[in-house]
Amino acid sequence: MMRGIHHVGIVVRRLADAFGFYRDVLGLPLLKEAVVPDQGVRAALLAAGDTEIELLEPLDPASGVGRFLAKRGEGLHHLCFDTPDVAGALAVLKEKQVELLDTAPRPGLAGQIAFLHPKACCGVLVELATPPAAAHARTVSSPVRLKRLVIGAQDVQRTAATFRSLFGFPEVAMNSGPRVMLAVGRSALLVVSAAEVGGTEGMVALSLVAEDFPALVASFARSGTKCLNGTGEVTVEPVSSHGVNLHISRYT
Ligand code: CMX
């Protein structure tokens, strides 16, 4: 039913400032930018391999995104799955009595979209999108691609089972332990115990892979990006990435 992760949505205070990091330092190509009046946001989609990052700036503090910014500050906001038929997917979810925010598809920046209530997916706000056919023919390349999204959960097995049963994602074999990995297209969801990530439930971090790792590290140094450097991996501090825990490793 789901082809992969279409995008990960990040709420930012000002799009122009966020471009300074995501487009100019990280190097993600800007694909699309528009005001979505009924959502009270200005939104931008940037390419990250075969998925995308959506930056959202609230234009109205009373909008859902405006309230999120006031309550939680900048950071990870929603997760969007690419589905060939958003209306069909909604019908299946309705039958399963899943709590939906949109009962019918509506136009959004990513195509025909619909949101599920965060309660339906253990505190993760999930969007479904059927992008326009031309979007799949995208040829623009990006210096980093999304590898996985980390989700904190009170009950790891229950959260993983929810994502498996609603969207059909297969489990990836891992060393025994309290974590569960689910394959979603070429990326993955890694469900970890909330206790492991400071008690946070919902989306907590993004892992990316860089084709030219030394060039990326040099870009971080030039721009004064705050990060912790390891061997073949770097962790950007949320103060530099608009509230997002960002872990980037060397492509192998
Ligand atoms: N992730 C997880 N939980 C969230 C959340 C998020 N992004 N946003 C809100 N919540 C939680 C709130 O904390 C609250 O929880 P509690 O009841 O435990 O306090 C609950 O959901 C209700 O939130 P609310 O803001 O008080 O009330 P609403 O029900 O009116 O709004 C929501 C919730 C999710 C619909 C709205 O905040 C929202 O973000 N909608 C999606 C908007 C969006 O992303 N639009 C961009 C579209 C761009 C495009 O079209 O392409």
Side-chain angles (χ1 to χ4, degrees):
M1 183 158 91
M2 303 298 149
R3 287 187 284 223
I5 295 179
H6 182 277
H7 66 260
V8 176
I10 299 171
V11 168
V12 298
R13 204 156 274 116
R14 268 172 42 92
L15 213 44
D17 295 343
F19 282 155
F21 175 73
Y22 284 95
R23 182 192 57 192
D24 303 338
V25 176
L26 205 50
L28 306 185
L30 177 62
L31 298 173
K32 218 189 246 186
E33 182 184 347
V35 169
V36 186
D38 62 315
Q39 296 291 302
V41 296
R42 174 180 284 278
L45 286 168
L46 299 97
D50 62 352
T51 62
E52 296 170 13
I53 298 284
E54 184 177 59
L55 300 175
L56 296 162
E57 173 189 329
L59 299 175
D60 172 4
S63 65
V65 173
R67 287 197 305 274
F68 179 94
L69 182 66
K71 203 168 159 186
R72 304 195 194 188
E74 293 186 308
L76 292 169
H77 176 259
H78 70 267
L79 167 60
C80 178
F81 298 125
D82 179 335
T83 173
D85 175 15
V86 65
L90 284 178
V92 172
L93 293 170
K94 264 185 231 169
E95 245 173 55
K96 293 184 178 179
Q97 301 188 325
V98 172
E99 197 167 335
L100 304 172
L101 291 168
D102 296 299
T103 49
R106 61 180 166 85
L109 197 61
Q112 284 297 307
I113 65 161
F115 279 90
L116 280 63
H117 196 281
K119 270 188 229 156
C121 298
C122 309
V124 179
L125 176 59
V126 170
E127 175 185 357
L128 306 180
T130 302
H136 282 282
R138 161 155 77 80
T139 49
V140 61
S141 66
S142 59
V144 296
R145 73 171 171 82
L146 180 68
K147 185 177 169 193
R148 68 176 72 110
L149 170 72
V150 184
I151 294 173
Q154 283 305 337
D155 183 335
V156 171
Q157 295 302 332
R158 192 177 66 82
T159 298
T162 300
F163 278 87
R164 260 198 323 258
S165 73
L166 293 186
F167 309 114
F169 303 139
E171 192 167 330
V172 179
M174 288 181 75
N175 296 337
S176 59
R179 299 169 155 207
V180 177
M181 181 106 81
L182 301 173
V184 188
R186 287 187 65 212
S187 315
L189 303 181
L190 177 65
V191 186
V192 306
S193 163
E196 226 188 286
V197 288
T200 307
E201 278 184 89
M203 296 187 288
V204 286
L206 286 183
S207 287
L208 307 171
V209 178
E211 292 282 344
D212 186 346
F213 188 74
L216 191 65
V217 170
S219 173
F220 287 164
R222 263 197 317 275
S223 59
T225 299
K226 294 219 177 332
C227 46
L228 301 168
N229 288 297
T231 313
E233 58 178 18
V234 60
T235 302
V236 180
E237 294 186 24
V239 66
S240 286
S241 48
H242 298 266
V244 180
N245 288 298
L246 209 55
H247 182 262
I248 305 165
S249 55
R250 187 189 291 275
Y251 178 77
T252 48

